[in-house]
Structures are given as structure tokens and as C-alpha cells.
Amino acid sequence: MQIDEVVRRCQCFEQANLAFWVDGGWGVDALLGRQTRPHGDLDLAVNFTDLAAFDRLLKQEGYARITRGNDPEWNWVLQHESGRSVDLHGFVRDAMGNGILGDPGEGSMYPAGAFEGRGAINGVAVRCIAAPFVLAFRNGFEPRDVDHHDVEALCAQFGFALPSRFQT
């Protein structure tokens, strides 16, 4: 997804008073304050109760919800006919401020501090998942080339040690 489209989507959601946190590759680039690589989609953490509002806004812009295999009820992907897509991760805040994704018993969540990230995309300020949590998430699965790129860039920018899966 091109940077101008990302900025348009973020501004549209802001104008609609919808809370969101940029996640994934664009979230990394927001933390870094610059685009460092191409991105196929825009990942957003959103309040579960706002999923339908995001769906309506995106549909007005030519996006359609797509179904992928066994997507959980809290993870919606909407794709434009041009191929760009927005990947929504709906969470529910618990009493501790964690963003619970799906069944609390499964342990999928954004820990409370994850929502404290701030960054910029093409000069536009956005909330994003905070760098330490991005690193922890990326350390939880077998890394791809883009994960190596993102993690190395974040560690260099913020002075963090490379997570264990990224050490060679």
C-alpha cells in the first residue's frame, strides 16, 4: 500500500473519531518516522466495537471484506479492487488495560503498554504499537526477511538489543 493511501485512510478514520493504532510494517515505519520498505497492507489495532464502523467507511471507499480460511471474528481484512488492503485487529480492553484479541483464554493480546507508541507517516502523527511490544511480537514466530529488516531498524533507532530469534 502506497504512503499517500495510508495517510488518507488514517485521516479518514480520525475524521470519523475512530480510535486506531498502526501495527505491522507501517507501524514500524511510523515509529521510525520514515518509510523504509514497501508494504502490501495497512494493519490496524482497533476497538472490537468499532469494527463495523471501520467496515462501513472502507466500503464507502471501494473496499470489500474478504474471507481467508479460518480468520477469527476479531480479525477483518478489507481489500480494494486495486489490491491494497486493510487488516483490522479488533480488541477488547480488560481491567488491566490489555487489548484482548478473541477468547481471553487463548492469551492473544496487546499488553497495556503496547498502545503508548507514537510515530509519523509522511509527517502525519499517528498512534502505533510501541517499539518494545513490536519486538516482542516479532520474536514470537519464525521471522521472514521483512521481519529481520523491521527488527534491525527498530533496534538501531531505539538502542534495543536484537531479540533472540534475530541473533545470528
Side-chain angles (χ1 to χ4, degrees):
M1 181 177 276
Q2 299 298 314
I3 197 166
D4 292 341
E5 177 66 11
V6 172
V7 169
R8 276 194 296 278
R9 291 301 101 220
C10 291
Q11 290 172 332
C12 175
F13 302 143
E14 287 283 342
Q15 289 170 358
N17 294 314
L18 290 171
F20 62 92
W21 291 260
V22 182
D23 197 0
W26 276 113
V28 169
D29 280 356
L31 289 165
L32 297 171
R34 66 191 184 286
Q35 184 175 358
T36 64
R37 65 173 178 85
H39 302 281
D41 66 354
L42 172 62
D43 293 282
L44 300 175
V46 304
N47 292 303
F48 183 81
T49 55
D50 288 339
L51 280 171
F54 278 93
D55 184 63
R56 277 191 305 279
L57 279 174
L58 287 163
K59 284 181 177 174
Q60 290 172 3
E61 297 293 327
Y63 287 77
R65 187 169 169 194
I66 61 171
T67 304
R68 303 175 303 177
N70 48 352
D71 278 345
E73 69 181 66
W74 48 265
N75 182 201
W76 294 12
V77 177
L78 290 99
Q79 189 169 39
H80 192 270
E81 62 186 26
S82 68
R84 60 185 180 255
S85 61
V86 178
D87 193 347
L88 302 171
H89 304 272
F91 64 85
V92 175
R93 292 241 190 173
D94 68 9
M96 304 298 289
N98 300 306
I100 307 299
L101 297 161
D103 180 354
E106 292 180 13
S108 294
M109 75 170 91
Y110 291 101
F115 298 115
E116 296 174 9
R118 298 293 180 268
I121 299 173
N122 209 21
V124 175
V126 294
R127 290 177 299 226
C128 48
I129 303 304
F133 299 93
V134 172
L135 295 175
F137 295 149
R138 299 285 178 99
N139 202 40
F141 56 85
E142 191 61 38
R144 305 161 295 168
D145 289 342
V146 294
D147 298 312
H148 282 280
H149 171 275
D150 292 352
V151 165
E152 290 167 10
L154 283 174
C155 289
Q157 176 94 7
F158 294 102
F160 296 128
L162 282 173
S164 58
R165 283 191 188 263
F166 296 88
Q167 296 173 5
T168 54

